[in-house]
Amino acid sequence: MARIRDIITIPDKLLKEASLPVERIDDEVRALLDDMLETMYEAPGIGLAAVQVGVPRRLITVDIAPREGDEPEEGEEPPPPPEPDPMFLINPEILWRSDEVKTYEEGCLSIPEYFADVERPAAVRVAYLDRDGEAREIEADGVLAVVLQHEIDHLDGTLFIDHLSRLKRDMVVKKFTKQARTKAL
Ligand code: NI
């Protein structure tokens, strides 16, 4: 049974550390992936890196499928009953980035309730191992390209706020540092 884990938030120093590659894909790794997926669904989020549950290993979960409770776009048919479409990526690596860029409003479960526009390559090609250890490649654009880049950034200790101006980033970090201190009292 998968269990929901605690998600760490800034200014936790672990979020700034590079995660280590996974060397053996065993039941322990698969159990962690299952926990990550449940934790991500519960949050709710569309992507999660293992370091966000305090395990600095190169593992991410992603699911960009529509969820129950998502509003249909104006003029669109109501969506069919949502089907989960989870992806598990082990040791993911970006092989190619498009020259074309796109701006998307990002958030992060480790920086709750803060959203900001981030510009990134519009499309990427990513190599990874799936949960059975099979080598796979995926070419992604749209929101999937955003999520993959955001999560792979986490594995290198980079947060989406690191793509913002220093002024904006410092403001956010300061706010969360103050909150963390208040909580500690
Ligand atoms: Ni994030």
Side-chain angles (χ1 to χ4, degrees), residues 100-106 116-122 142 146 164:
E100 191 199 335
V101 293
K102 212 164 175 188
T103 300
Y104 191 88
E105 189 182 59
E106 295 187 28
D117 282 346
V118 179
E119 187 185 272
R120 297 183 189 268
V146 176
L164 306 178

Side-chain angles (χ1 to χ4, degrees), residues 47-49 52 106-111 150-151 154 158-160:
L48 189 74
Q52 293 181 274
E106 295 187 28
C108 180
L109 295 173
S110 294
I111 313 172
H150 176 120
E151 302 311 328
H154 271 300
T158 302
L159 300 168
F160 85 93

Side-chain angles (χ1 to χ4, degrees), residues 104 106 120-122 124 141-151:
Y104 191 88
E106 295 187 28
R120 297 183 189 268
V124 287
D141 58 10
V143 70
L144 185 57
V146 176
V147 181
L148 290 173
Q149 292 177 83
H150 176 120
E151 302 311 328

